[in-house]
Amino acid sequence: MSGRTAASPPRLLDRRPHPADLVAILCALGLVVLLADVVRNVLAPPAGEASVATITLAPSTLPYDALCTTARLLAGLALALPVALLYGVLAVRSRTAGLILVPALDVLQSVPILGYLTFSVVVFMGLFPGTMAGGELAAIAAICAAQVWTIAFGFHRALTALPTDLGEVARGLRLTSWQRFWRVELPYCVPSLTWSAVSALSGGWFMVVYAETITVGGTHVVLPGLGSYVAEAIARSDLRAVVAAIAVMAAVLVACDQILFRPLLSWSERYRTDQRIGLVGREPWALALVRRAPLVRSVVSANSRMMTRLARLPIGARPTLDPGERQANTAARRVAMIVLAAGGLLALARLTLYGRTHFSLADIGAVLVLGGFTLLRVLAMLGLATLVWVPVGVWIGLRPSWAVRARRIGQLLAAFPANLFYPLFVAAIVTFDLTPDLWLTPLIVLGAQWYILFSVIDGTSGIPREALEVARLYRVRGLRWWTRIVLPAIAPSVLGGALMASGVAWNAAIAAEVARWGDTSVHAHGLGAYIAVATRQGAFNHVGLGMVVMAAYVVGLNRLVWHPARAFAERRYTLYS
C-alpha cells in the first residue's frame, strides 16, 4: 500500500510553509552572503606593507565592522567549545591525565592573553604571508584563548559534581565511554556549560579591541572590525566615533542576546536537575518563532534524530571491574607522576638557565616588585567589588522575578568590553592632574565584577527555602541573619566567582595600567604596564618574563588563597552546598 501510515511522521515536503519559515530562510541567506563577503576579504592580499587593512571612521562602515567582529567571536567560541569539552572529559575520566590537566588549568588560565598574542601573530603571519588569513587566524586564536579556559573550568566543575547515582546508572547499563558522555554527562552539564559559554563571551569582547589591532615591534596588523574602529577612534581622539561604535556594539550585544544566547539558555533549563529557580524567564521570542516554523522545526528534529543515533554508537570501552586493570591504572598514575615531576624539573631548569642568560637578578626582582603592585590592585578591587555586590546579589537572588531581569542586564553589561571606557579615565586623569597609579586601578575590575555578582545571585537562589523559613519563624534578623544563614550558604559561590574574577582582573591589568586617548597616554606602575610596553616594543624576552611572573602570581594566589578557601567553605557548610 502506498502512502504514509497513521503512525509515520510527516515528511518535510508535506508541511505547509509558514511566515516564520520565510523569515528564517531570508535570515539564513543574508547570513551566507555576508559571511561569503567576509571570507573573500580574508583571502584578499594585504592593503599595504605597514598594515593588513586600513580603517576609516565613516559611520557607514560600522555594520560591516560589526559583522566581522561577530564572526570572529563566534568562530573563537566554536573552536573553544570542543577544546573545553575534550579537556574536561580527559581531566575527569582519567586520573592519570587529571594529575596533569587539572593543575595545568590554573596555569593556562593565568597566562595573559595579550602576551600570548605577541607570539601567535608572528607565527600565523609567517604561515600565511601575502593574505589577511594570518592576521585573522591570530585574532581568532586570541579570542578563543580568552574564552576556552573559562568554559573548560565550568565544564570540569560540572563534571566533578555529577551525582553518584547517575554514574551508577551508566555503569549498570554498561554504556561505553562515548555513550556515557552523550547520554549522561553532557546532558547533566548543559546548564553549566551554557552559562560558562555566555560568561566567556565577555572575555572575547574584551580581547576584540586588541586582537583586531596588533602592534608587535615592527609588525602592525589591523583587521576590519569594531575593535580596530574603536582603537583608531581613540588614536584620533574622535569622541563621536567612539560613541557611534559603542552604540553599534550595544546593538550587536542585544541582537546576540535575543537571537542566540537567550534561546540557548532557555533551552538548557530543561536539563536542570536541581530545584533552583531558573534565571531565564519566559520563553524567548526567537525560540517561539522556531517552534512555530514547520520547516525550521523539521530541520531541527532531523538534526536531533541524527545526534541521537550518533550518541548511541558503541564507541569506546565499557566499564569493567577487572582487578588487573585497576593495578595497571595505578601503575600508569605512578609513571605519570614521575614524568610530570621530571618534566617540571626540566622546565624549571630551562627557565632558570634562560633567565640567567638574558636577565640579571635585579631585572627579575624589579619585575617581581611590579607584580606585587598589580597583586595589590587586584586584591583591593576584588575586595571592594565583593563588598558592593554581595548585598545587591543577595537582595536580587531572594526575588526570582528580579533575578531574571538582573541576569539579563548583567549578562549584557558583562559582555560589553570595559576597555571602551578607558579613554574617559585618561581624560579625567589629565584634566584634573590625578595620580595614574591610583585612578587607573578601578579599570581592572570593570569587567571582572560581574562574575562576583552572578555567583552571589546563583548562590542565593540555591539557599534552601526551609532555612529561610526557619529564620523567619525564629525572627533571625540583621547581622545574625547574615552571619548564620546567608554568608555560610553563599560562601562557596562567592569564592568561586572571586576565582574567575581574579583571572579576568589579571588579564585586564595589562590594558588598564596603560591607557591612552589620542597622543596622551598614562601609565601605572605594575606588571600589566610592563608587559604592554614590552609588547609594543617587540621585546619578546621581556614579554616572556612578564608572562612567567604573572602566571606565577596567579597560580600562587589560586593555590594558596582561592582554592583552599573554597574547599574549606564547601566542607564547613555542607548543609547549603
Side-chain angles (χ1 to χ4, degrees):
M1 180 181 295
S2 62
R4 290 181 306 169
T5 63
S8 61
R11 293 177 299 179
L12 180 62
L13 296 179
D14 292 339
R15 299 183 183 273
R16 294 183 178 180
H18 189 273
D21 289 319
L22 180 60
V23 174
I25 292 172
L26 290 177
C27 290
L29 290 177
L31 182 62
V32 169
V33 172
L34 291 175
L35 289 179
D37 187 57
V38 172
V39 172
R40 178 178 59 83
N41 283 277
V42 167
L43 299 178
E49 296 181 359
S51 63
V52 180
T54 56
I55 300 299
T56 62
L57 298 183
S60 59
T61 63
L62 282 172
Y64 179 74
D65 290 339
L67 171 71
C68 294
T69 296
T70 305
R72 293 187 190 103
L73 283 168
L74 296 180
L77 187 61
L79 289 175
L81 279 172
V83 174
L85 292 176
L86 180 62
Y87 196 100
V89 169
L90 289 177
V92 172
R93 290 276 188 89
S94 172
R95 291 186 179 181
T96 304
L99 293 174
I100 301 174
L101 296 180
V102 174
L105 187 59
D106 269 346
V107 178
L108 293 171
Q109 287 187 107
S110 65
V111 175
I113 307 301
L114 290 177
Y116 159 80
L117 187 61
T118 303
F119 300 96
S120 65
V121 66
V122 176
V123 173
F124 283 111
M125 292 298 292
L127 291 175
F128 300 93
T131 67
M132 295 176 67
E136 289 285 357
L137 290 177
I140 293 174
I143 293 171
C144 174
Q147 301 177 90
V148 62
W149 307 123
T150 300
I151 303 174
F153 183 75
F155 183 60
H156 178 262
R157 283 182 55 190
L159 273 181
T160 54
L162 185 75
T164 306
D165 52 352
L166 289 180
E168 292 299 327
V169 168
R171 180 177 293 273
L173 294 176
R174 293 188 54 77
L175 299 179
T176 66
S177 55
W178 175 269
Q179 294 170 339
R180 176 188 173 96
F181 172 75
W182 287 103
R183 301 177 66 178
V184 177
E185 295 173 337
L186 185 60
Y188 175 80
C189 297
V190 161
S192 176
L193 183 64
T194 308
W195 280 115
S196 298
V198 174
S199 300
L201 187 67
S202 61
W205 275 107
F206 182 89
M207 184 54 54
V208 158
V209 177
Y210 303 98
E212 294 179 350
T213 306
I214 309 168
T215 300
V216 181
T219 303
H220 185 56
V221 179
V222 181
L223 303 171
L226 291 177
S228 57
Y229 186 97
V230 170
E232 186 68 19
I234 291 175
R236 298 186 190 180
S237 302
D238 192 336
L239 183 59
R240 177 195 58 81
V242 172
V243 172
I246 290 175
V248 172
M249 194 171 292
V252 171
L253 287 172
V254 172
C256 289
D257 174 67
Q258 293 291 318
I259 297 174
L260 182 60
F261 293 113
R262 280 197 61 200
L264 284 176
L265 291 171
S266 179
W267 167 80
S268 69
E269 287 295 317
R270 68 175 65 184
Y271 295 99
R272 186 177 293 275
T273 59
D274 55 27
Q275 300 300 319
R276 299 187 183 188
I277 299 174
L279 296 177
V280 179
R282 62 183 180 181
E283 183 181 56
W285 64 267
L287 191 59
L289 184 66
V290 171
R291 296 185 190 281
R292 296 191 188 102
L295 294 178
V296 177
R297 194 166 64 247
S298 298
V299 173
V300 172
S301 299
N303 289 332
S304 299
R305 290 192 295 271
M306 182 182 66
M307 293 300 298
T308 301
R309 296 191 187 98
L310 187 66
R312 292 175 178 173
L313 293 177
I315 301 175
R318 297 187 184 276
T320 179
L321 299 177
D322 185 7
E325 184 175 347
R326 289 183 178 180
Q327 294 178 1
N329 290 336
T330 303
R333 285 196 296 272
R334 292 175 180 172
V335 172
M337 287 295 295
I338 295 174
V339 172
L340 181 61
L345 293 175
L346 179 61
L348 181 61
R350 295 289 297 176
L351 284 175
T352 303
L353 179 62
Y354 185 86
R356 292 180 60 183
T357 304
H358 294 83
F359 303 101
S360 65
L361 291 178
D363 294 332
I364 298 176
V367 177
L368 288 173
V369 171
L370 293 176
F373 291 153
T374 302
L375 173 65
L376 292 177
R377 289 193 180 94
V378 169
L379 292 179
M381 288 297 98
L382 290 180
L384 179 61
T386 302
L387 290 176
V388 171
W389 290 119
V390 164
V392 175
V394 169
W395 188 90
I396 293 173
L398 294 177
R399 295 162 177 81
S401 60
W402 279 94
V404 173
R405 300 188 189 100
R407 193 65 153 165
R408 293 174 185 170
I409 298 173
Q411 178 186 325
L412 294 176
L413 293 176
F416 201 87
N419 41 4
L420 293 184
F421 300 104
Y422 290 6
L424 300 178
F425 283 76
V426 175
I429 289 172
V430 173
T431 302
F432 299 102
D433 194 21
L434 302 175
T435 304
D437 283 322
L438 177 62
W439 292 98
L440 286 179
T441 300
L443 300 179
I444 291 177
V445 80
L446 287 182
Q449 60 184 331
W450 307 112
Y451 290 93
I452 297 176
L453 175 62
F454 293 160
S455 298
V456 173
I457 294 176
D458 289 343
T460 305
S461 66
I463 298 178
R465 299 303 167 187
E466 296 84 356
L468 296 175
E469 186 64 22
V470 169
R472 187 184 66 82
L473 291 175
Y474 284 92
R475 299 182 180 180
V476 180
R477 300 171 181 171
L479 182 61
R480 192 173 185 181
W481 182 79
W482 280 96
T483 57
R484 297 295 181 90
I485 303 296
V486 177
L487 292 181
I490 66 175
S493 297
V494 172
L495 291 170
L499 173 63
M500 298 182 67
S502 176
V504 174
W506 277 98
N507 269 286
I510 301 178
E513 291 180 348
V514 179
R516 57 192 296 258
W517 175 248
D519 296 329
T520 303
S521 63
V522 290
H523 295 238
H525 294 87
L527 186 57
Y530 177 86
I531 296 176
V533 172
T535 300
R536 186 167 294 275
Q537 295 174 351
F540 294 104
N541 291 335
H542 292 276
V543 173
L545 175 62
M547 292 174 65
V548 170
V549 171
M550 182 173 285
Y553 266 104
V554 177
V555 172
L557 188 63
N558 290 348
R559 290 294 173 180
L560 298 177
V561 178
W562 300 125
H563 288 318
R566 187 178 179 193
F568 171 78
E570 290 178 345
R571 290 194 309 268
R572 180 68 175 81
Y573 307 115
T574 53
L575 174 64
Y576 299 102
S577 60

XYZ file of all heavy atoms in Angstrom, residues 19 39 99 166 175 177-178 241 272 278 301 422 499 502 512 517 540 555:
147
model
N 4.794 31.800 7.648
C 5.532 33.069 7.547
C 6.846 33.051 8.317
O 7.818 33.682 7.901
C 4.548 34.084 8.127
C 3.199 33.500 7.852
C 3.365 32.017 7.968
N 34.757 36.058 4.043
C 35.774 35.105 3.596
C 36.551 35.661 2.405
O 37.773 35.498 2.295
C 35.112 33.760 3.251
C 36.117 32.813 2.606
C 34.514 33.132 4.499
N 45.963 14.270 36.746
C 47.116 14.724 37.509
C 47.878 15.815 36.788
O 48.559 16.641 37.418
C 48.051 13.536 37.785
C 47.510 12.451 38.726
C 48.478 11.279 38.779
C 47.277 13.026 40.109
N 23.754 8.869 38.999
C 23.803 8.891 37.532
C 24.986 8.067 37.026
O 24.880 7.360 36.017
C 23.914 10.331 37.026
C 22.673 11.211 37.175
C 22.937 12.605 36.617
C 21.480 10.584 36.444
N 27.153 1.367 29.587
C 27.344 2.318 28.486
C 28.829 2.463 28.187
O 29.664 2.484 29.103
C 26.764 3.687 28.854
C 25.267 3.760 29.148
C 24.878 5.184 29.509
C 24.456 3.269 27.957
N 32.200 4.569 26.877
C 32.649 5.917 27.239
C 32.001 6.969 26.338
O 31.656 8.064 26.803
C 34.172 5.996 27.141
O 34.611 5.596 25.848
N 31.826 6.642 25.062
C 31.164 7.554 24.120
C 29.696 7.734 24.512
O 29.193 8.863 24.558
C 31.295 6.996 22.710
C 30.575 7.758 21.631
C 29.298 7.528 21.194
C 31.068 8.847 20.859
N 28.959 8.399 20.194
C 30.038 9.223 19.969
C 32.267 9.540 20.817
C 30.186 10.262 19.043
C 32.421 10.577 19.901
C 31.389 10.923 19.042
N 33.154 59.168 17.032
C 33.315 57.814 16.503
C 33.266 56.776 17.622
O 32.715 55.687 17.449
C 34.629 57.705 15.737
N 18.099 21.043 33.690
C 18.428 21.337 35.081
C 17.851 20.247 35.989
O 16.679 19.897 35.883
C 17.889 22.713 35.461
C 18.304 23.170 36.850
C 17.779 24.573 37.130
N 18.427 25.543 36.286
C 19.589 26.109 36.566
N 20.229 25.771 37.673
N 20.121 26.994 35.761
N 14.876 28.860 37.727
C 15.588 29.267 36.527
C 15.721 30.774 36.436
O 14.888 31.534 36.913
N 14.467 18.869 14.122
C 14.129 17.496 14.515
C 15.019 16.482 13.812
O 15.454 15.495 14.418
C 12.654 17.219 14.218
O 11.812 18.083 14.937
N 38.025 53.262 29.010
C 39.335 53.691 29.476
C 39.664 55.133 29.087
O 40.253 55.871 29.883
C 40.417 52.748 28.952
C 40.403 51.371 29.576
C 39.397 50.978 30.459
C 41.397 50.445 29.290
C 39.385 49.718 31.025
C 41.397 49.183 29.866
C 40.387 48.825 30.720
O 40.373 47.573 31.282
N 37.383 33.593 42.218
C 38.447 32.896 41.488
C 38.410 33.251 40.012
O 39.446 33.568 39.396
C 38.295 31.388 41.686
C 39.221 30.494 40.860
C 40.672 30.746 41.226
C 38.878 29.026 41.078
N 39.289 36.947 39.488
C 40.716 37.204 39.654
C 41.472 37.012 38.344
O 42.310 37.842 37.967
C 41.284 36.281 40.736
O 42.683 36.432 40.855
N 44.686 47.950 31.548
C 44.256 49.007 32.466
C 45.425 49.840 32.964
O 45.245 51.020 33.290
C 43.512 48.395 33.651
N 44.516 58.157 25.123
C 43.482 58.893 24.397
C 44.195 59.850 23.463
O 44.790 60.837 23.884
C 42.574 59.638 25.358
C 41.551 60.514 24.703
C 41.487 61.867 24.715
C 40.433 60.082 23.924
N 40.416 62.321 24.007
C 39.734 61.236 23.505
C 39.954 58.824 23.540
C 38.590 61.179 22.721
C 38.815 58.773 22.751
C 38.142 59.930 22.356
N 60.522 40.456 23.012
C 59.933 39.157 23.323
C 60.471 38.576 24.628
O 59.742 37.903 25.361
C 60.196 38.187 22.169
C 59.513 38.565 20.895
C 60.222 39.141 19.855
C 58.156 38.373 20.733
C 59.589 39.498 18.684
C 57.507 38.728 19.570
C 58.231 39.299 18.536
N 48.863 31.636 39.745
C 48.806 30.258 40.236
C 49.027 30.222 41.746
O 48.341 29.497 42.480
C 49.846 29.391 39.508
C 49.934 28.015 40.145
C 49.485 29.256 38.031
